[in-house]
Amino acid sequence: MVYELSNPLTKTLITHLRDQKSDAIRFRHTIAELTKQLVYEALKEFSLIQKSIKTWQGEQSFGAIDEKNIVVATVLRAGMPMLGSAIELLPDAAAGFLAIKRDETTHKSVLYYDRLPECRDKTILLVDPMVATGGSICDAIELIKSRNPKKIVALNIIGSPEGLERVSKRYSDVDIYIAQIDERLNSDMFIIPGLGDAGDRSYNTPE
Ligand code: PRP
């Protein structure tokens, strides 16, 4: 399923991202804020474990998310501000990194860096700001699936209807939480109206 956030604050932050006046630090900061909103939404129904802690009235048990069974994974490089934000909320979760490059002539993707931690029976939060054609996220899902996770949940900032349909058709078991579904892809495979290239905007590397 694809879940789109509808809070007016979410829409306001997306408008800041679209604004060319937003410099790299504001762009990354806004991505990080939106990521927190996505994590809240994605974990809304998450079950709690009982955790024994020392309180002012002695040892007691309270509910908490079992963060040790969560992996936050990203595809370099635009996902980095999202990953940083998600692991601030979930400090005991493990972080995983993938780098996938598409060969411009064959259009096949090549994995050139894989530092995923143990994924077996864990919930994987896969964070990447953009779903354009959906190719990158499909490649990442395919790879993570081969590591036998319990569940994969994708957290994205902006996507095209075409890309999201491709991902959700191919992986109906993967829930996608997204801040903004835009109108369409153009012939160059850019999201319209979109916000430009999230990696370039985050790291001051305009084409
Ligand atoms: C962006 C984005 C996704 C991908 C989406 O990364 O972060 O990973 O494009 O496009 P797709 O849905 O058509 O695959 P990009 O390749 O620009 O790399 P970057 O993060 O290094 O900027």
Side-chain angles (χ1 to χ4, degrees), residues 106-124:
T106 64
H107 300 293
K108 285 215 168 117
S109 58
V110 185
L111 174 79
Y112 65 98
Y113 186 70
D114 169 1
R115 286 300 297 259
L116 282 179
E118 176 63 52
C119 293
R120 181 174 292 276
D121 297 329
K122 298 197 174 177
T123 298
I124 316 297

Side-chain angles (χ1 to χ4, degrees), residues 116-171:
L116 282 179
E118 176 63 52
C119 293
R120 181 174 292 276
D121 297 329
K122 298 197 174 177
T123 298
I124 316 297
L125 301 181
L126 173 59
V127 300
D128 189 331
M130 302 176 79
V131 182
T133 64
S136 306
I137 190 174
C138 283
D139 291 344
I141 291 171
E142 196 65 34
L143 187 83
I144 295 168
K145 273 184 174 280
S146 71
R147 311 288 167 87
N148 305 107
K150 178 177 173 195
K151 185 165 178 59
I152 302 173
V153 181
L155 307 183
N156 308 104
I157 303 291
I158 194 162
S160 72
E162 298 92 326
L164 290 163
E165 193 186 332
R166 175 176 173 189
V167 184
S168 51
K169 266 195 176 155
R170 187 155 158 200
Y171 301 107

Side-chain angles (χ1 to χ4, degrees), residues 16-29:
H16 289 320
L17 289 180
R18 296 195 203 275
D19 189 342
Q20 286 296 302
K21 283 210 304 283
S22 296
D23 60 7
I25 191 165
R26 180 156 198 197
F27 193 88
R28 295 195 306 270
H29 179 76

